[in-house]
Amino acid sequence: LGLTKNGKIVILVTGGGSIARIAQKDAQSVGVTHQATQDQIGVYITNLNALWLERVFEANGVHTHALHSGDILHSDIVYIRGGSEPGHTTDFVAVSHAAEAGQKIVFNISTAPGLHPVIDDKLKEDEVIPTITWGEYLGNFSVDHAPGVNTPFDKRASLLAKEQGITVVLLGSNF
């Protein structure tokens, strides 16, 4: 697959996506109202997604390793992990590991192809904002974390990326 060529360190952090949001909503519908418990449901799903992705890569001859904080990273391995704990999204996990590894770029692959402007409370899906500063993003797009929140990039992760000088590139599934 070429992911680990040219000495690049590759870390893949899987989110929970719509499956996590559905599971969290189902839990709410049967009385699970504790926010940390709802978050934990999402964390488990992100880790299931990470395990699935790890097995897919291994089946295709790519050497993988489950990533943990403090791991010494090598360029011939694809490191994979899901969420870590309630209170933030996997966006924060990705930025945290990028900062720990001294990396300055994070690619966020999502079903949404880029960041779209909102004008008069309507999302303009036919337009993409090509570049934006962290200050502009945080002032216009970030929202506080809640279980199942679906935002272009997590507020806490954005603040850490800004602090660490990390650029985030939002890519759609057709990257």
Side-chain angles (χ1 to χ4, degrees):
L1 294 173
L3 287 173
T4 59
K5 290 188 177 178
N6 302 321
K8 293 185 178 10
I9 293 173
V10 177
I11 300 170
L12 299 176
V13 179
T14 60
S18 60
I19 296 170
R21 285 188 287 282
I22 290 167
Q24 289 165 329
K25 186 171 275 219
D26 287 349
Q28 284 178 328
S29 73
V30 294
V32 178
T33 58
H34 189 251
Q35 182 170 334
T37 301
Q38 291 175 19
D39 262 357
Q40 192 65 51
I41 291 167
V43 169
Y44 282 122
I45 291 171
T46 67
N47 284 294
L48 176 62
N49 289 343
L51 177 64
W52 180 84
L53 189 59
E54 189 175 350
R55 296 304 178 255
V56 168
F57 276 99
E58 287 174 352
N60 286 279
V62 178
H63 187 64
T64 65
H65 181 72
L67 179 64
H68 304 285
S69 286
D71 281 352
I72 297 172
L73 305 179
H74 303 279
S75 61
D76 60 338
I77 299 170
V78 174
Y79 295 90
I80 301 176
R81 77 160 298 142
S84 59
E85 61 194 20
H88 57 79
T89 68
T90 52
D91 294 343
F92 182 77
V93 175
V95 172
S96 296
H97 282 291
E100 185 179 309
Q103 302 301 301
K104 292 298 180 187
I105 192 162
V106 168
F107 293 97
N108 182 288
I109 302 169
S110 169
T111 56
L115 182 62
H116 304 281
V118 177
I119 301 172
D120 298 327
D121 293 330
K122 293 184 180 166
L123 181 67
K124 301 293 183 182
E125 292 186 38
D126 58 334
E127 297 178 40
V128 176
I129 298 171
T131 60
I132 190 170
T133 66
W134 281 120
E136 292 167 331
Y137 178 80
L138 289 162
N140 293 302
F141 292 96
S142 69
V143 295
D144 290 327
H145 176 72
V149 70
N150 190 4
T151 183
F153 206 72
D154 176 281
K155 182 178 184 178
R156 190 169 166 203
S158 299
L159 290 167
L160 181 60
K162 179 182 178 186
E163 174 189 305
Q164 295 292 319
I166 294 173
T167 297
V168 173
V169 179
L170 301 176
L171 300 170
S173 56
N174 185 17
F175 59 92

